[in-house]
Amino acid sequence: MKKLLLLVCMVGFRFLVIAQEEATYQTPPKEIMDLVMARPTPMVSFNAKADHMVLIQRASMPSVEELAQPEYRIAGLRMNPANFGGSRQTYFNDLQVKEVATGKTTAITGLPADLRGTSMQWSPSQQRFAFLQYSNSGIDLYTVDLLNATAKKVNQHPLNDVLGTSFIWQNDSTIIYKAAVNAGKKEPARPAAPSGPVIQESLGKAAASRTYQDLIKSPYDELLFEHFSKGQLYRLQLGSGKEEKLGEEAIYRSFSISPNQEFLLTAILEKPFSYLVPWSGFPTTYAVSNLKGELVKTIANNPSSEGAPIGFDDVVPYPRGINWRDDQPATIYYVQALDNGKGRVKSEFRDGVYCIDLMKEKEPRLFTKTSKRFRGIEWGNDQVALLYEGMNANRSYRINLLNPVTGKLDSLQERSSNDQYNDLGQPITTRNQYGRNVIQVLKNGSILLTSNGASEKGDLPLLRSMNLKTRAVKDLWRCQEGYFEYVVRVLDAEKGVFITRRESPTETPNYYVRNLTKKIAPLALTQFTNPYAQLEGISKEKIKYKRADGIDLTATLYLPKGYDKTKDGPLPLLIWAYPREYKSAADAAQVRGSQYTFPTISYGSPIFWATQGYAVMDNAEMPIVGEGNKEPNDAFIPQLYLNAHAAIQAAAKMGVGDSTRVGVGGHSYGAFMTANLLAHTNLFKAGIARSGAYNRTLTPFGFQAEERTYWQAPEVYFNMSPFSFANKIKTPILLIHGEMDNNPGTFPIQSERLYNAIKGHGGTTRYISLPYESHGYAGKENILHMLWEQHQWLEKFVKQAKSSTGDGKKAF
C-alpha cells in the first residue's frame, strides 16, 4: 500500500513538473512571427518649412527582462527609480535627416551608442530639435542641428521625466528643463514597521471616484512620490552651456513660456496627496513668474479633485485648462464652470472663459460664455478664433467663430458629435510672430480645413476652404477612390501646395507634395517599401450589411492569398470588434474608416489569421443605440446579438465564412463584449478576451459611456456583467490579461474571478497572465506567446470544430 501511494505521489509529482516545464514561452507559426517581428516603416516629422524631414525609426519590442526592471507604481504613475523617468516608454533608436529638395538623407552624428529616445520637440525656428535620451541610470537632453546633422548632449543635470512637462524651448538658443533634484540620493527607507494604520474617512460629503489603479496607499508611498517627482527648473543657454535656476524645488506638473518669452506659467502639485485620485487630481497651484523666478501673479489654487462630480458633462467647479493665448504677447486664459460643474442641472450658460493680460490687467475678466460645455479654442489673429463646445448627454457639438477682442460667439456649425459625415474638419495653422501655431487666414478671408471626409464610400480625406464672411464651403481637393491619402502639412496655403501621406491596400504609406495650381503629378518624398511581404496577395474589402432592425453596419474583410470560394468553400471565420455607443440610429449607421488603407500590423491585430486559412472580419461594427430618453446600455445584450448575428450572416451569404465555425475576440471593452456574447448566445465556437472587465459592480461609478452609477441602475450593471452569467458560458473562452494592468476598471482580478467562476461551473476556459504587462502589451516574449495561445485556441475550437446545421439563434 505504501509502495502504491509512493508511486502515485511520484507520478503526480512528475505530472506537476511536466506542467510547469511546459509553462514556458512559445512562439506562433512562422508567418505570424515574421509579421509581428517585421521592422515597420519609419515615422516622419517635418519642420515648419518642410525643407527637412526627420526619419524616426521605432525601437523593436523590449524583452520581458527589460519590462522586469525596477518599477514603482504610485499616484497613478509607473516610474523607474533608477533614472527618474517613466518605466514603460516607447523609444526610437535611429534618426536620420532628409533634405526635401534634394532627397539627400544624412545619418545624424553624435547620437548615443544605445539610443533610446523619446519626446522629440522642434525649436521655434524649426532648424533644430531636442529629445530625451533614456539610460539605465538617468535621462539626458540632446539637441540636433539640421544644418550639420549633429547631435549634442546639452544638460548638466539629469532630467526628471516622471510626470508632466520635462523641457520646453524658450527660443532657438535657450531651453528650460526640469532636473531630478534627488538623482544620486538614497530613496526614503521603508520603515521596518508602520507607525500606525492607514486611515481614510468621509465626513458626509459625496466623493465618488472612478476605479483608478496604482494610487497612493500609505505614508511611505507619499514619501516615494515626493522623492521621485520633485524637480528644479533650469534655464540653459545652448551657446555657452550656462545654466541658471528658475524658482524653487517643487513637483512641477507643467511649465510653459509666454509667447513674448517674458513670463513662465507653472503648475505645482501641493499636499495633501490624495489616496482616491491619481496625481492629475492633486491640489495644484498655477502661478506666473518672470524669468528671474520672481512671482508675478497666482492664477489659481485648485483643491484636490476628490468629490468633484463624475458625470460625462460634469467638470470641476474651479479654474481648468489654464494656458497662454497663442495670439497675444502674455495673456492667460482659463475656463470655469458657471453651473457649478454639474452638467445635468439646467443652466443658460455652462462655462465662462476668463482672460488676464499680464502686461495690462491685475485681475482676470470674463471674456465669453458657452451654452454647452467648453471643448477648446483655436486661436488665430485679432479677428479670428474658433471655439468648440458640446454636451455628451445628447451628443451635441458646436463650432463657433469667436471674436478675439470682444468675445462674441457666432455659430458656424452645430451637429451630433457622432455625425462624421458633416464634420467640417480641423483648421490649417501657420506660425505667427511669436512662433505659435495659429489659424491661417487667407487673403480672401477664408480658412482651410482638413477632414477625414467620412462618407457612404468610407473615409476619403479632403482639404476645403470656408469663407468666414459668406460661410461658403468649397472642397479644394479630395482623396482619389482606391487610396487613403490625407493632408500632413500645407506648405503654401495661397498657392495650394501641400504634403500628403498616401497608401492603398497594396501600396506602402509614403509622402508626396501636391500642387493645386499646377497640373503636375504629385512628387514623391519617400520611397518606403512594404515591410509585410507575407500579406501580399491577401485580399481586403470593406463590406456593408444590415442588422435585423435595419441599421447599416460595416467590417473590413480579409481573405487568404489565393482563396477561391468556389473551390475552397466557406472558411472558418474570426470576428474582432469593439462596441460603440450612439444616441442616433442614423449616426450609428454611418460608414467609418476606409477600405483603402494599407494593412498595418500591430501585436493586437487579427489580420495574422488571414495567413492561416481564416476569413477575418476586423472592426466589425457593434453599435449600441439609445435614442431619445433611452440609454444605449438599456438594451446592450439584445443589440450585441443583432450585431454579431448580422456579421456572421454577412460572411455566410458571401460564401466566404462558415457560420458554424466562428470565433470572436476583442481587447478591453472588446473583451467585455466577447464574454457577453458567449454568455448570452450560441453563435460562436470560441472566444478570445484580452484585458477586459467582466463584473461591472467593481466599476460602480460608471464605465465606458455609462455614467449612471450602480445604485442608480443596478439592473443594468448586473445584466451587463458576464460574471453574472458565468454559469452559462459553455463556449470555450481564452482569457488573457497583463499582470500589471494600469487601466481604470480592468484590474487583473476581473479575469481571475471570471476564470474561477467559469471553471467552477464546468466551463471550458484558459487564463493567461502575462508577466509585467500593462493594459497594452509590450514584451516580445509575451506578445509572441499571446499569439501562440490565440492560434492554438482558434485551431482547436474553431478551425477543427465540426460544422453544424444550426443558424446560431440566440440562447438566452
Side-chain angles (χ1 to χ4, degrees):
M1 183 65 182
K2 289 183 178 179
K3 290 183 178 180
L4 179 61
L5 181 60
L6 178 61
L7 178 62
V8 171
C9 290
M10 290 178 66
V11 171
F13 177 74
R14 174 173 171 76
F15 281 136
L16 177 62
V17 171
I18 290 173
Q20 290 176 343
E21 287 177 348
E22 289 177 346
T24 56
Y25 283 115
Q26 305 294 320
T27 57
K30 185 178 184 301
E31 297 90 343
I32 294 178
M33 187 167 177
D34 288 346
L35 282 170
V36 77
M37 296 300 293
R39 186 167 182 160
T41 57
M43 298 182 293
V44 174
S45 180
F46 292 91
N47 65 351
K49 295 181 180 179
D51 54 3
H52 287 83
M53 67 174 79
V54 179
L55 306 180
I56 307 167
Q57 187 63 58
R58 288 161 282 185
S60 58
M61 292 179 287
S63 66
V64 172
E65 183 180 3
E66 291 177 73
L67 293 184
Q69 295 303 305
E71 177 184 69
Y72 283 143
R73 304 195 295 275
I74 303 171
L77 295 168
R78 297 201 165 180
M79 62 185 83
N80 185 335
N83 62 16
F84 287 78
S87 58
R88 297 170 182 266
Q89 296 285 347
T90 300
Y91 303 116
F92 52 79
N93 63 0
D94 188 35
L95 294 171
Q96 293 180 312
V97 173
K98 184 172 183 178
E99 295 181 9
V100 171
T102 65
K104 179 183 177 182
T105 301
T106 305
I108 297 173
T109 61
L111 292 171
D114 180 20
L115 176 58
R116 289 190 288 172
T118 68
S119 308
M120 177 180 164
Q121 189 181 130
W122 287 99
S123 70
S125 74
Q126 308 267 301
Q127 291 305 302
R128 57 175 60 177
F129 62 88
F131 66 88
L132 298 181
Q133 160 65 8
Y134 267 63
S135 72
N136 292 333
S137 59
I139 301 170
D140 290 314
L141 181 64
Y142 277 73
T143 61
V144 175
D145 193 318
L146 290 183
L147 297 180
N148 55 26
T150 301
K152 180 182 178 181
K153 175 182 171 296
V154 295
N155 59 299
Q156 295 180 18
H157 304 84
L159 275 74
N160 189 316
D161 194 37
V162 164
L163 62 83
T165 311
S166 57
F167 76 93
I168 59 172
W169 288 90
Q170 178 183 340
N171 52 51
D172 252 41
S173 59
T174 310
I175 290 178
I176 299 173
Y177 74 88
K178 179 173 61 179
V181 297
N182 290 318
K185 299 178 183 178
K186 288 186 178 181
E187 65 184 61
R190 181 183 293 274
S195 59
V198 175
I199 298 173
Q200 301 182 58
E201 69 175 353
S202 175
L203 299 177
K205 181 179 179 181
S209 178
R210 302 293 180 189
T211 47
Y212 298 112
Q213 307 221 39
D214 304 332
L215 298 179
I216 287 178
K217 297 179 177 66
S218 68
Y220 179 61
D221 281 352
E222 295 188 54
L223 292 176
L224 288 176
F225 172 71
E226 189 170 12
H227 175 85
F228 287 107
S229 60
K230 184 169 287 188
Q232 171 66 60
L233 299 185
Y234 284 91
R235 184 165 58 156
L236 164 65
Q237 303 293 336
L238 295 177
S240 64
K242 178 183 176 182
E243 294 187 352
E244 57 181 324
K245 288 185 178 181
L246 287 179
E248 303 296 328
E249 295 180 4
I251 304 176
Y252 291 93
R253 66 185 291 167
S254 66
F255 51 95
S256 58
I257 197 78
S258 61
N260 66 1
Q261 301 180 28
E262 294 184 17
F263 301 100
L264 189 70
L265 171 64
T266 61
I268 295 175
L269 298 184
E270 310 284 3
K271 293 181 178 179
F273 302 142
S274 173
Y275 285 43
L276 192 63
V277 296
W279 67 271
S280 56
F282 289 1
T284 304
T285 297
Y286 291 85
V288 176
S289 62
N290 60 29
L291 295 186
K292 295 180 181 179
E294 300 167 339
L295 179 65
V296 173
K297 178 72 176 176
T298 298
I299 304 298
N301 288 302
N302 287 350
S304 167
S305 65
E306 284 190 25
I310 61 171
F312 296 139
D313 287 321
D314 295 341
V315 294
V316 293
Y318 42 80
R320 67 186 197 275
I322 301 170
N323 212 334
W324 298 104
R325 282 184 58 160
D326 294 319
D327 62 334
Q328 294 190 357
T331 296
I332 294 282
Y333 78 97
Y334 63 83
V335 184
Q336 190 159 0
L338 301 176
D339 57 4
N340 204 32
K342 297 180 179 180
R344 289 202 176 267
V345 303
K346 290 185 178 180
S347 181
E348 182 181 2
F349 295 103
R350 294 289 173 191
D351 284 320
V353 179
Y354 294 80
C355 290
I356 176 171
D357 185 338
L358 295 170
M359 309 286 285
K360 302 175 182 178
E361 299 172 316
K362 293 184 178 181
E363 297 299 329
R365 56 185 168 82
L366 179 60
F367 175 57
T368 193
K369 295 184 290 187
T370 65
S371 59
K372 303 178 187 295
R373 191 63 74 204
F374 176 86
R375 300 293 189 222
I377 291 179
E378 290 267 9
W379 299 103
N381 54 27
D382 59 358
Q383 297 179 338
V384 173
L386 295 179
L387 183 148
Y388 306 89
E389 56 181 315
M391 296 297 287
N392 180 79
N394 60 4
R395 306 302 196 273
S396 62
Y397 186 75
R398 180 186 296 157
I399 304 175
N400 300 287
L401 181 62
L402 168 66
N403 186 310
V405 177
T406 65
K408 180 183 177 182
L409 295 176
D410 188 4
S411 177
L412 288 179
Q413 184 195 52
E414 185 161 0
R415 62 179 174 86
S416 163
S417 58
N418 291 144
D419 178 7
Q420 298 302 302
Y421 287 0
N422 290 299
D423 177 27
L424 270 180
Q426 295 298 310
I428 294 297
T429 62
T430 187
R431 299 177 72 81
N432 64 8
Q433 66 269 37
Y434 307 115
R436 302 299 182 100
N437 286 321
V438 295
I439 298 170
Q440 183 168 10
V441 182
L442 304 185
K443 294 177 182 178
N444 64 2
S446 297
I447 62 174
L448 299 181
L449 303 110
T450 60
S451 167
N452 284 336
S455 71
E456 294 181 357
K457 296 180 179 179
D459 288 354
L460 293 169
L462 54 80
L463 176 68
R464 59 167 48 120
S465 66
M466 181 179 192
N467 188 293
L468 296 179
K469 294 181 179 179
T470 66
R471 308 295 167 84
V473 175
K474 180 181 179 182
D475 289 352
L476 305 176
W477 170 86
R478 188 162 195 150
C479 169
Q480 176 186 351
E481 284 190 57
Y483 293 91
F484 182 71
E485 184 175 8
Y486 60 89
V487 177
V488 174
R489 177 70 56 84
V490 173
L491 303 180
D492 190 325
E494 297 289 350
K495 295 181 179 180
V497 182
F498 54 96
I499 295 174
T500 65
R501 183 180 186 269
R502 186 177 72 183
E503 60 190 280
S504 77
T506 58
E507 185 178 302
T508 308
N510 274 291
Y511 294 82
Y512 297 83
V513 175
R514 287 187 171 273
N515 192 320
L516 294 180
T517 58
K518 297 181 180 179
K519 294 183 178 181
I520 56 177
L523 173 66
L525 299 179
T526 59
Q527 294 81 34
F528 299 138
T529 57
N530 184 359
Y532 310 119
Q534 300 88 340
L535 292 183
E536 292 180 358
I538 289 178
S539 68
K540 176 184 178 182
E541 180 184 2
K542 191 85 167 179
I543 62 172
K544 300 179 181 179
Y545 50 98
K546 287 181 182 289
R547 73 184 200 186
D549 60 0
I551 291 180
D552 293 317
L553 304 174
T554 67
T556 302
L557 175 67
Y558 295 89
L559 297 173
K561 180 179 180 180
Y563 169 69
D564 185 331
K565 67 180 180 181
T566 303
K567 297 178 180 179
D568 303 324
L571 298 173
L573 175 64
L574 173 61
I575 296 175
W576 204 263
Y578 191 97
R580 307 281 182 184
E581 298 84 356
Y582 300 89
K583 289 294 291 180
S584 160
D587 288 345
Q590 290 188 356
V591 178
R592 289 167 175 81
S594 169
Q595 62 178 313
Y596 303 125
T597 55
F598 183 75
T600 303
I601 295 293
S602 70
Y603 77 85
S605 173
I607 302 174
F608 297 113
W609 283 274
T611 70
Q612 303 299 305
Y614 292 78
V616 177
M617 292 178 73
D618 191 16
N619 291 321
E621 290 187 325
M622 296 279 172
I624 309 297
V625 182
E627 294 190 304
N629 294 327
K630 296 181 180 179
E631 291 296 327
N633 286 339
D634 292 343
F636 182 83
I637 301 301
Q639 292 195 57
L640 208 57
Y641 166 77
L642 291 177
N643 294 324
H645 186 264
I648 293 170
Q649 294 306 309
K653 289 177 182 178
M654 292 177 66
V656 300
D658 182 346
S659 64
T660 67
R661 289 188 299 158
V662 186
V664 63
H667 189 94
S668 194
Y669 209 55
F672 170 74
M673 168 206 75
T674 297
N676 265 309
L677 283 169
L678 300 194
H680 297 290
T681 79
N682 63 356
L683 296 171
F684 302 97
K685 291 295 186 183
I688 299 171
R690 295 197 315 238
S691 297
Y694 310 107
N695 184 346
R696 298 278 46 142
T697 68
L698 297 179
T699 56
F701 287 103
F703 59 90
Q704 207 71 9
E706 178 59 67
E707 64 176 323
R708 294 171 295 184
T709 71
Y710 166 76
W711 297 273
Q712 293 171 324
E715 70 289 347
V716 171
Y717 279 70
F718 179 85
N719 290 327
M720 285 185 67
S721 297
F723 181 83
S724 303
F725 304 93
N727 59 320
K728 295 183 178 181
I729 300 179
K730 302 304 180 183
T731 302
I733 183 169
L734 176 65
L735 299 170
I736 302 174
H737 217 117
E739 176 191 31
M740 297 179 177
D741 194 325
N742 67 337
N743 186 56
T746 56
F747 290 75
I749 196 173
Q750 291 272 5
S751 288
E752 295 169 11
R753 290 290 184 262
L754 182 61
Y755 168 78
N756 288 331
I758 296 172
K759 179 182 177 181
H761 286 94
T764 300
T765 184
R766 181 176 171 90
Y767 173 43
I768 313 301
S769 178
L770 299 176
Y772 303 106
E773 294 293 356
S774 187
H775 191 62
Y777 313 148
K780 178 176 66 176
E781 297 90 340
N782 282 332
I783 287 173
L784 292 176
H785 184 86
M786 177 203 77
L787 293 169
W788 177 82
E789 292 279 1
Q790 293 182 181
H791 182 66
Q792 298 301 312
W793 201 255
L794 292 171
E795 290 287 289
K796 181 177 182 179
F797 294 111
V798 178
K799 181 181 282 188
Q800 297 173 14
K802 293 182 179 180
S803 295
S804 61
T805 58
D807 66 350
K809 294 295 184 181
K810 64 182 179 180
F812 290 105

